[in-house]
Amino acid sequence: MKLGIVGLPNVGKSTLFNAITNAGAESANYPFCTIDPNVGTVAVPDARLDWLSDFYKPKKTTPAVVEFVDIAGLVKGASKGEGLGNKFLANIRECAAIVHVVRCFDDENVIHVEGSTDPVRDMDIIDLELIMADVEMADRRIDKARKAAKADKKYNHEAEVFEGLRAWMNDGKSARSYLSEVDEEDGELIKTSELLSLKPVIYAANLDEDGFADPTAVEYYNQVAERAKAEGAQVIPVCAKLEAEIAELPADEKALFLEDLGIQESGLDRLIRASYTLLGLISFLTSGEDECRAWTITRGTKAPQAAGKIHSDFERGFIRAEAIAFNALKECGSMAAAREKGLIRSEGKDYVVQDGDIILFRFNV
């Protein structure tokens, strides 16, 4: 699953991306430095997997991952092709969700494309460009439905739904916010479109080092937080410059550095975890001396389909899943002790896998 990192030029997107992936995306103090979208894969922090790895000392440990795409800075008029807009809007369309980086610091040495720091204005610019691109998409959907309605009148309703959505977006409001205005069936119809402003969003408030130490004392951050709350979105405080420095450190030095800062985990770890949750994803775990691994599934996945993530034969020949919650195993100290206490459950085809389940699948093909 891909998440697109978006924002105006020079708000810290590529610096943040560098920190997330260590992929070395070029970062410079001028607009359009990022020409092609950079793609990087990053591990989802998971203390449960760390514990299993320490316990089993496996030959290999494989975490769950999320893919981030660093998309070049958008500017006013991007929906009309300004800057390099159309190309990058297409790149966003391929992503499952958006990480919107908002600059929340003043620095005369870092050029702001709009001439000053103003988080609300910056958020409005990006939101409006996505919405206006969506208006064009809605127009095309309406035209297609009206033509289809000549042969089958049921398409008239589809056209009416998208006409209502278009009117809503013409007022500068996102497709995402329109879902609460329609019934579930019409909402599902709208979700069949590839609308940019329909995608879930996390706001990454990029602060300087002083601001990151106490985000709520920064008025810029509070403006972003207030906007996010109104939208039902999350805001994660980060200091992209600091995170890039932390990312260069070995794991043990990183822990000490964070301790010196008085924080338990980096802003990036929180952002990655929040992004994983935003997509409705959870992890189940497999463990042993060969490999300890976190497997990514959508929340609500049943046992046979979860087994299929490991191998199609596991799903095809599924018999049962032997499962235990991670916390139960940790408390017992070993699988043998957990089995003695009867904590390892035998689950069938209708079992909905829970986040943190440690599972052994039984199958026969």
Side-chain angles (χ1 to χ4, degrees):
M1 299 286 269
K2 291 182 181 179
L3 290 100
I5 304 178
V6 305
L8 291 174
N10 291 354
V11 296
K13 293 184 298 76
S14 292
T15 304
L16 182 64
F17 177 82
N18 290 347
I20 288 175
T21 64
N22 249 346
E26 185 182 1
S27 177
N29 183 22
Y30 56 90
F32 308 122
C33 168
T34 310
I35 302 300
D36 295 314
N38 296 276
V39 180
T41 302
V42 60
V44 178
D46 194 332
R48 302 167 305 193
L49 183 64
D50 295 339
W51 187 91
L52 289 172
S53 186
D54 287 341
F55 182 79
Y56 284 100
K57 302 290 190 295
K59 297 173 185 175
K60 184 180 180 184
T61 298
T62 307
V65 296
V66 171
E67 195 167 67
F68 286 88
V69 183
D70 178 29
I71 295 167
L74 298 174
V75 293
K76 280 182 181 176
S79 60
K80 303 298 182 185
E82 289 296 321
L84 301 171
N86 287 332
K87 179 179 179 181
F88 301 134
L89 290 171
N91 291 329
I92 300 169
R93 212 175 294 283
E94 296 171 1
C95 297
I98 293 171
V99 176
H100 184 166
V101 182
V102 186
R103 178 167 160 176
C104 293
F105 64 89
D106 292 312
D107 187 341
E108 61 183 16
N109 295 315
V110 180
I111 300 166
H112 193 295
V113 71
E114 290 294 320
S116 64
T117 304
D118 185 339
V120 173
R121 177 204 60 208
D122 294 354
M123 295 162 84
D124 284 343
I125 290 172
I126 297 296
D127 287 351
L128 188 59
E129 293 307 322
L130 300 184
I131 290 166
M132 296 318 294
D134 282 349
V135 169
E136 293 185 11
M137 287 286 289
D139 283 340
R140 290 198 287 272
R141 187 68 179 257
I142 293 164
D143 289 343
K144 184 178 178 181
R146 288 299 183 198
K147 288 176 182 176
K150 293 176 181 177
D152 188 338
K153 292 188 181 301
K154 73 177 183 181
Y155 287 102
N156 280 324
H157 178 69
E158 179 175 329
E160 289 166 3
V161 169
F162 279 91
E163 284 169 351
L165 173 62
R166 179 178 61 186
W168 180 268
M169 293 191 298
N170 272 329
D171 286 337
K173 294 179 284 190
S174 69
R176 191 170 55 253
S177 64
Y178 189 62
L179 295 180
S180 62
E181 302 294 315
V182 297
D183 61 30
E184 185 176 349
E185 186 176 341
D186 288 349
E188 290 301 316
L189 179 60
I190 290 169
K191 288 177 184 178
T192 63
S193 60
E194 295 184 338
L195 299 177
L196 301 173
S197 67
L198 198 60
K199 297 180 185 295
V201 176
I202 291 178
Y203 291 104
N206 187 20
L207 301 138
D208 58 21
E209 291 187 37
D210 291 338
F212 183 61
D214 185 10
T216 56
V218 180
E219 180 56 30
Y220 292 146
Y221 172 80
N222 291 331
Q223 291 172 10
V224 178
E226 184 177 343
R227 172 71 160 268
K229 183 179 179 181
E231 295 179 6
Q234 290 191 68
V235 56
I236 305 292
V238 298
C239 174
K241 182 179 178 182
L242 184 63
E243 300 288 353
E245 293 173 7
I246 294 173
E248 297 293 331
L249 298 174
D252 54 345
E253 291 184 27
K254 176 182 175 180
L256 289 172
F257 190 79
L258 292 174
E259 188 178 332
D260 288 341
L261 290 174
I263 55 178
Q264 292 185 329
E265 62 178 350
S266 70
L268 287 183
D269 283 351
R270 291 199 301 274
L271 176 61
I272 294 163
R273 202 190 314 278
S275 300
Y276 193 71
T277 302
L278 182 71
L279 295 175
L281 304 177
I282 62 172
S283 296
F284 71 89
L285 307 160
T286 54
S287 58
E289 294 180 358
D290 286 334
E291 183 181 26
C292 289
R293 180 163 181 168
W295 299 87
T296 301
I297 56 173
T298 303
R299 187 177 297 280
T301 298
K302 292 185 177 180
Q305 288 69 49
K309 287 289 183 179
I310 300 175
H311 196 285
S312 58
D313 284 350
F314 284 30
E315 180 176 0
R316 186 161 55 92
F318 179 88
I319 299 173
R320 68 180 185 274
E322 296 180 2
I324 181 172
F326 169 78
N327 288 336
L329 173 63
K330 186 176 179 181
E331 287 174 12
C332 291
S334 72
M335 281 291 188
R339 195 175 296 277
E340 285 180 11
K341 292 183 178 181
L343 295 175
I344 298 178
R345 311 181 310 274
S346 181
E347 304 287 2
K349 292 183 177 181
D350 290 331
Y351 176 66
V352 176
V353 175
Q354 302 299 303
D355 186 39
D357 274 351
I358 301 168
I359 304 180
L360 173 64
F361 292 106
R362 301 292 185 184
F363 71 102
N364 183 36
V365 291

